[in-house]
Each structure stands twice: as C-alpha cells, then as structure tokens.
Amino acid sequence: MTAAAFSVVIGVSTVLIAPDGSPSPGTEWLAALSSLLSLAVIVAVPVLVWLLHSRRPSLMAVIGGVLGAASTGVVFFVVVALSALLGFVVSPFWGAEYAGLLIALLLLAVAGVATVIWLVLLAIRDLDALIFALVAGIAAALAVLGAEIATALARTPPDTRATVGLRKD
C-alpha cells in the first residue's frame, strides 16, 4: 500500500512538474510539496496498515518502526555493495560498465515479483488487492517489522528473553 501510494504521488508530481521531461518554470513549490507528500506517505501508510490490522500504537511500536525504516539505508548499501561485487565478477565476461548494477536490479526485480505474487495470493485470500513498488514498500515493510519485533520484545518478560523458543523438558 505504501509503495502504491508513493508511486501515485511521484506519478502525479511528475506529470504536473515535468510533463515533457524537464521541470516547468515556476513549479518549484510543487516539487517541494511533492517531496513532503512522498515522505508523508512513507510514514502515514505503515501507521494506517498497523492500525488496520488491529494493532495498538505504543512507544515500542514507534521505536521499532523508526529503527525498521532506518534500516532501509543498510539494505540499500548492501544492494550497492552487491552490485559492485557482481560487476567485478561478470566484467571479464560482459564488458558493460553497469553489468553488476543490472544483475543486482534483475535479482531485486525477481525478488520483488516473487514478493508481489506472494502478497497477491495473500490479498486474494483476504479479498484485498495490493500493488507494491520496491523502495517505498521495503521501507514500510521494514518499519512494520521493526515495530512488530520491538513490540514483541517489550511483551516478553525480562527473565525469559534468553530462553524464548527453547523448551524445558
């Protein structure tokens, strides 16, 4: 949902600001508004999804969401590093300057398509259709995952955190 809303904001902004490919004069305020709306979507939609799934807002959920969204930078860095590594590996076979980046994007696209297929199957099961784009969707998913982990850790009594998941026979 975040990725779809983000895509709509960016698409509408592009049509209004640069319909012919270059920014129209006098649309600077629209570009600023577009940037603010893009960020607002990345924050507001995960919160909305959290609430739609009957989750209660809490301090731990907010902390987890912020940490999860912040991890997007780490994920992006890993993708860039993977691109460089793939470029180094395939450069003897393929002379393209951006070969590593293209292969990394291909792998991410395959992972994105697999994720979308999985989510569509879940959406069909829930009678709800979801459309996801990549970067905004990852940021929102990581924010919700962080909120879920932080909330779960806050609910676990301190004396059992080390043994969670271990059975006592």
Side-chain angles (χ1 to χ4, degrees), residues 105-144:
L105 288 175
L106 178 66
L107 293 174
L108 284 173
V110 168
V113 167
T115 302
V116 168
I117 289 171
W118 174 62
L119 290 170
V120 167
L121 291 175
L122 290 177
I124 290 170
R125 183 195 71 192
D126 295 337
L127 299 176
D128 182 17
L130 302 176
I131 301 171
F132 285 84
L134 202 53
V135 175
I138 289 171
L142 291 173
V144 172

Side-chain angles (χ1 to χ4, degrees), residues 73-84:
V74 174
V75 171
F76 181 76
F77 175 76
V78 169
V79 170
V80 170
L82 176 66
S83 298

Side-chain angles (χ1 to χ4, degrees), residues 18-128:
D20 61 352
S22 60
S24 302
T27 58
E28 293 80 15
W29 67 274
L30 263 171
L33 180 63
S34 170
S35 296
L36 290 175
L37 284 174
S38 299
L39 291 174
V41 161
I42 292 173
V43 172
V45 176
V47 170
L48 177 64
V49 169
W50 183 262
L51 295 172
L52 286 173
H53 282 89
S54 301
R55 305 288 183 140
R56 289 191 310 222
S58 67
L59 179 61
M60 290 308 290
V62 171
I63 291 170
V66 168
L67 292 175
S71 68
T72 304
V74 174
V75 171
F76 181 76
F77 175 76
V78 169
V79 170
V80 170
L82 176 66
S83 298
L85 179 64
L86 287 171
F88 179 73
V89 170
V90 299
S91 62
F93 309 107
W94 191 9
E97 180 181 354
Y98 299 108
L101 177 62
L102 294 173
I103 292 172
L105 288 175
L106 178 66
L107 293 174
L108 284 173
V110 168
V113 167
T115 302
V116 168
I117 289 171
W118 174 62
L119 290 170
V120 167
L121 291 175
L122 290 177
I124 290 170
R125 183 195 71 192
D126 295 337
L127 299 176
D128 182 17

